[in-house]
Amino acid sequence: MAVPTSKQELIDAITSNYAKLDQALAQVPPALAREAVLEGQVAGTRMSVCDLLAYLVGWNELVLDWHAQLRAGKSIDEIAFPAEGFTWNALGKLAQQFYADHAATGFDALRERLARAKDGLLALVNEHDDAELYGTNWYRQYTMGRMIQFNTSSPYANACKRLRAWQRTLT
């Protein structure tokens, strides 16, 4: 799928890639959801399906938090990107934090939390028009739509590929 350049393309990408991911997640044997069966976000590490979900939830909720901070009156320059205490060149540490944050959260609860975050992001996208999403840079050289896409449809597609590759080894 091409990189979205409009509101409708972004909605379609999020919806489509999430549906494929959800379908792949529905095939995960719950007994294996906490097993380190997938290549990790950090080179040379392994992660579980629950860790993958925690990663997706973490990024989706970060995007929602960035926008909540803006609605609360902060300027874009006052927001800690990507998250408080983390830098863009240390995203492996942020991934590890997401895993730790959700270490006690069950597979089904993580799926529900991801669905809620995705729904919140679709609502966020629907609050904006094409010009707001893609007309100007929002954070550094990236438009708002691109920043949302980086943390929704693209990682959903990547996660789906990881899951399907692993699932092929089960048969």
Side-chain angles (χ1 to χ4, degrees):
M1 182 175 279
V3 173
T5 58
S6 72
K7 176 180 178 172
Q8 191 57 54
E9 288 175 3
L10 181 57
I11 290 168
D12 292 347
I14 292 170
T15 303
S16 172
N17 288 347
Y18 179 83
K20 292 172 189 171
L21 173 60
D22 193 52
Q23 187 176 46
L25 289 167
Q27 304 302 313
V28 172
L32 297 180
R34 282 277 171 208
E35 298 292 320
V37 295
L38 303 171
E39 182 179 330
Q41 302 291 347
V42 176
T45 64
R46 306 291 290 168
M47 68 178 168
S48 70
V49 174
C50 285
D51 290 337
L52 179 62
L53 279 166
Y55 178 83
L56 296 171
V57 166
W59 277 107
N60 280 208
E61 290 180 353
L62 268 180
V63 174
L64 291 168
D65 183 59
W66 298 336
H67 288 272
Q69 290 179 61
L70 289 171
R71 281 191 301 278
K74 278 191 174 181
S75 73
I76 197 86
D77 295 327
E78 295 174 306
I79 297 173
F81 285 95
E84 192 66 46
F86 294 93
T87 61
W88 290 112
N89 63 357
L91 294 180
K93 290 179 183 178
L94 183 55
Q96 296 292 323
Q97 184 63 54
F98 293 149
Y99 305 160
D101 289 347
H102 299 288
T105 308
F107 178 64
D108 290 335
L110 282 166
R111 286 184 69 192
E112 290 171 17
R113 192 156 172 181
L114 181 60
R116 280 193 310 273
K118 181 263 309 173
D119 290 344
L121 288 160
L122 285 171
L124 173 69
V125 170
N126 275 310
E127 293 172 2
H128 299 281
D129 61 24
D130 280 337
E132 292 168 318
L133 289 166
Y134 290 101
T136 60
N137 289 347
W138 182 77
Y139 174 74
R140 296 187 181 170
Q141 74 270 25
Y142 301 109
T143 64
M144 181 189 305
R146 190 78 163 124
M147 286 295 286
I148 293 170
Q149 177 257 323
F150 280 149
N151 296 294
T152 57
S153 64
S154 289
Y156 296 165
N158 179 281
C160 191
K161 287 178 192 172
R162 287 172 183 255
L163 286 169
R164 288 192 175 144
W166 167 64
Q167 288 166 335
R168 283 192 293 275
T169 70
L170 298 177
T171 56

